[in-house]
Every structure is written in structure tokens, then in C-alpha cells.
Amino acid sequence: MNEQIWKHRRPLAALQRALASGTLRLGFIGGSITDARGRNNWPEPVIAWFAEHYPQVRLFVENAAIGATGSELAVFRAEHDLIQRKCDLVFVDYSVNDGDEPSEKRMRTREGLLRKLLKDGTRDVVVVHTFRQPFYRDMIEGNMPASIADFETLAEYYGVGSVWMSLYALEEVKKGRMRWEEWLPDGLHPTERGSLSYGQSVIAFLEKELQTDLEQAGQEDAYVLPEPLNASHWERAYQLSWSDVKTEGPWVIRRWPHLEWIDQALETAAVGARLSFSFVGRGLSLGFDFGKNSSEIRYRLDGGEWVTSVRERPDWCGNDGWFRSYLVADDMDPGTHHFEMEVVHGDTPDCRGTNCRIGLIGIIA
């Protein structure tokens, strides 16, 4: 048994209390590998395992994972999509989708997310690690990819359990139990067989956790959130209200029917339409319903130089439907700042429209 796969750090007290109460709320947040919309990803066998082994428990599932999103967006969504829904156990999957972010940035966003979830001590958190092809060389040589290692640093510090699901699956391939193409035909997204492997690794983790006697383990005391590792963590990040935004031009606020994770969107398709707002904090992140028909934006902070966004539109990107975050700034002096923005065409072959659809305005405090 590879001990690197399962890290049991602090017993899952909230999970055990929920099972004893007869009501369990499971939460999931991550990228496409965890997204519920395909109905065949790894959360499904885990959910089925709970339903089979605890038939007397009323089971609620809050799967808040969104494909092609990272922990930057998750920090702003955690309150609405997981915490307010009173999840007892939350699985977090961002080792893959944060893989291209600088280590410093992903450590800030991930720590902020973990601190939000753990803050009141009413829920358990388990970090899971999936696979992308750039991880292969490290893993086949017995090393830990940097994105996973960063997450493990946080998990160890906060006493959060973790499951290296992709290492479990790789072990299955090496033992001849599963072919590579049954696991990852595109090097990233598992088939149903690969998702079952991921789910089985989590089930094995849960089976061992649920053997723990909390009283004997001395885990009945309330969880105390430790001091942060990184002083620039994003725990205090919040969403700005639409009422704080001033607009010029034909903007509308719509209840958003096209992407279920966006409640309302501030929308225009008019080149030259502008908006502005003031906020208190040290940084700003915008969330868009984005695609090939989306505009670019021209913006400035505190009356400084104008900056024009240049966002890649990969081949897999549709005309819209990608809840995409855009980090404007993170390291400003804390205080009151002013943001101005104008809608522009991207003036590139892959920019085929001028739709500007803002799903959230995130303030880093």
C-alpha cells in the first residue's frame, strides 16, 4: 500500500456527527474532473457509496465544481455555494487547474479557500489530487509535482486529510488493472473507468477514517483555526454588490439563465460602454461568462495607466459558458481604490464578438 496516496491528519469529526444525526451534506468544489454535469465523474461512486452504506441517512449533495476554473474563483464562491448550504464534508480539487499559476498566487488563493471552509469548525475538508500530463515525469520518477506539493504543505499545516487519487490510478496502470486509455485518453479527463478508480481511492480513505473513535482520539474539542501561513491569503475576499457599480451606456443586470453558477450578470455588448466603482481592499478579481464572442476590456486603477486585457481563447472554448476569472491586481496598498473599465473589441481573429458579461466583482481584502 502506497502511503503517499492517503494522508490521515485529523479525524473527520463533522462527518461522523452528521452520519449520527441522520442528515449528511456533501460538498465538492474543483474543475472539470469533479464537475457534476457529466454525471460520470469521481464524486458519483463516492456519493453512491454513502447512499449504499448509510441508507438511514438523508443525503444532500452540493457539487459546486466548474470546468476550467481554479481556486481564485472558488474563494469568492465558497460562501454561497458551500458554506451557506451547511456542508458537513467538502472535497477540494484544484491541483490540476491551479497548475499553471505561480506558486505564490495559488498558495494565497488556496489558503484563503481552506480558511473560509474551516473557519467555524462545523465542517471537514479533504483535498484530492487529480492528474494532468505535465505531472507525469515527476510521478513516474517517484516525485511530487509542485502544484500538489504546495497543496500538501497547506493540508499538513491545517490538519486536512488528502487523497492523491491520480497516484492510486497510476498504481493501477502499473499493476495492469487498468489501461492508460481507460484512465486518461486525453491526458487529463478520466473515462468512467478512470473516475471509478479515483472514487475508489476516496472510498478507501473514508472507510479508514470512519473506523476512528473520536472520543478515544481526543477529537471532540472545537477546531481552532491556526494563524495563517501566508499573510497575503485571501480568506477575507468578498463580492462587491451591483449597487456599488456606476455604469455609462446600455448595461443591464440580468438573472443569468446560461451558466448555473452565476445568479445575476451585468451585461452589455456595446463597444465603449463603461463602468466604475470604488472598493476597500488590496486587490480585485473579475469573473466573466466568457467565450469566443466575448469582448476584451480596457481598464485602469486609481487614475493610472490604461491596460487592455488580452485573453486566450482555446479551441475547446465555446462562444460563451466559461466562468473565467481575471485578476486585475492583488498587491496594492490596503485602502480605498477606484476602478474604471471600458468595453473594447479584442481586435484579434479569435475574438468574434463584444459581449461583456460580468458574473462577479471580487474584492481581495
Side-chain angles (χ1 to χ4, degrees):
M1 181 177 292
N2 193 328
E3 294 182 355
Q4 285 187 292
I5 297 170
W6 298 280
K7 297 293 185 182
H8 299 272
R9 294 186 170 98
R10 180 180 174 87
L12 300 181
L15 171 61
Q16 294 210 34
R17 288 193 295 267
L19 291 172
S21 76
T23 301
L24 171 63
R25 290 177 170 83
L26 293 177
F28 301 87
I29 193 162
S32 59
I33 300 168
T34 300
D35 197 314
R37 286 171 288 187
R39 300 307 294 267
N40 62 348
N41 282 331
W42 69 269
E44 300 306 319
V46 173
I47 294 164
W49 179 83
F50 273 110
E52 176 185 354
H53 286 79
Y54 300 93
Q56 76 283 8
V57 173
R58 176 61 58 88
L59 183 60
F60 294 84
V61 177
E62 300 291 346
N63 191 330
I66 310 176
T69 65
S71 58
E72 176 181 344
L73 186 63
V75 171
F76 298 106
R77 299 177 49 237
E79 181 69 31
H80 179 271
D81 293 335
L82 296 169
I83 297 169
Q84 290 181 6
R85 295 165 191 257
K86 301 186 183 302
C87 291
D88 303 295
L89 171 62
V90 176
F91 294 93
V92 178
D93 157 38
Y94 284 116
S95 290
V96 161
N97 284 26
D98 285 349
D100 290 329
E101 297 285 6
S103 177
E104 173 65 17
K105 180 188 173 187
R106 68 189 178 215
M107 289 297 275
R108 294 180 182 189
T109 57
R110 291 169 174 179
E111 185 166 14
L113 176 61
L114 291 180
R115 291 182 68 84
K116 280 179 179 286
L117 293 172
L118 295 168
K119 186 173 184 178
D120 64 3
T122 62
R123 69 190 56 81
D124 295 320
V125 175
V126 176
V127 174
V128 298
H129 308 302
T130 56
F131 182 89
R132 63 196 299 249
Q133 197 62 44
F135 290 175
Y136 176 79
R137 181 57 54 193
D138 279 330
M139 290 177 62
I140 207 68
E141 294 176 354
N143 300 318
M144 185 175 286
S147 181
I148 295 177
D150 280 351
F151 230 148
E152 283 296 296
T153 297
L154 290 170
E156 181 69 29
Y157 182 74
Y158 284 97
V160 167
S162 61
V163 183
W164 193 348
M165 301 193 296
S166 56
L167 185 56
Y168 180 91
L170 182 60
E171 292 290 318
E172 287 209 291
V173 172
K174 290 165 71 175
K175 293 173 182 177
R177 298 175 182 171
M178 177 172 62
R179 297 180 187 277
W180 186 277
E181 64 269 24
E182 290 180 296
W183 174 26
L184 297 166
D186 68 353
L188 176 64
H189 299 98
T191 63
E192 291 184 8
R193 174 65 181 88
S195 292
L196 177 61
S197 178
Y198 283 178
Q200 288 171 333
S201 69
V202 172
I203 290 167
F205 175 88
L206 293 169
E207 287 175 332
K208 183 172 181 179
E209 283 289 332
L210 290 169
Q211 293 172 5
T212 302
D213 185 306
L214 296 179
E215 188 173 349
Q216 290 184 0
Q219 294 297 327
E220 288 301 322
D221 295 335
Y223 178 80
V224 178
L225 194 67
E227 291 297 311
L229 270 179
N230 189 319
S232 298
H233 64 85
W234 287 27
E235 179 193 349
R236 294 180 296 276
Y238 66 95
Q239 291 191 40
L240 193 74
S241 170
W242 299 128
S243 63
D244 295 323
V245 179
K246 297 180 180 179
T247 59
E248 301 175 30
W251 293 89
V252 295
I253 298 173
R254 298 179 183 267
R255 179 166 296 281
W256 205 239
H258 306 300
L259 190 57
E260 55 263 48
W261 302 112
I262 294 177
D263 180 36
Q264 293 180 320
L266 180 60
E267 180 191 37
T268 189
V271 170
R274 304 183 69 159
L275 62 77
S276 63
F277 54 84
S278 294
F279 64 93
V280 178
R282 69 163 200 269
L284 173 65
S285 176
L286 303 175
F288 295 85
D289 185 343
F290 184 79
K292 289 187 170 69
N293 287 347
S294 296
S295 72
E296 292 295 348
I297 59 172
R298 177 175 174 263
Y299 63 89
R300 65 178 179 177
L301 281 161
D302 299 331
E305 295 293 323
W306 287 94
V307 176
T308 301
S309 65
V310 181
R311 291 174 286 186
E312 182 186 6
R313 292 161 169 82
D315 290 341
W316 55 260
C317 173
N319 291 331
D320 52 28
W322 177 5
F323 198 174
R324 185 173 187 177
S325 56
Y326 182 85
L327 183 63
V328 175
D330 185 8
D331 280 318
M332 298 186 295
D333 292 333
T336 300
H337 299 278
H338 190 69
F339 176 76
E340 301 169 78
M341 190 194 90
E342 180 181 354
V343 176
V344 298
H345 191 281
D347 196 23
T348 59
D350 62 349
C351 180
R352 303 199 295 245
T354 56
N355 296 318
C356 185
R357 296 161 174 170
I358 303 174
L360 68 83
I361 298 171
I363 307 304
I364 305 156

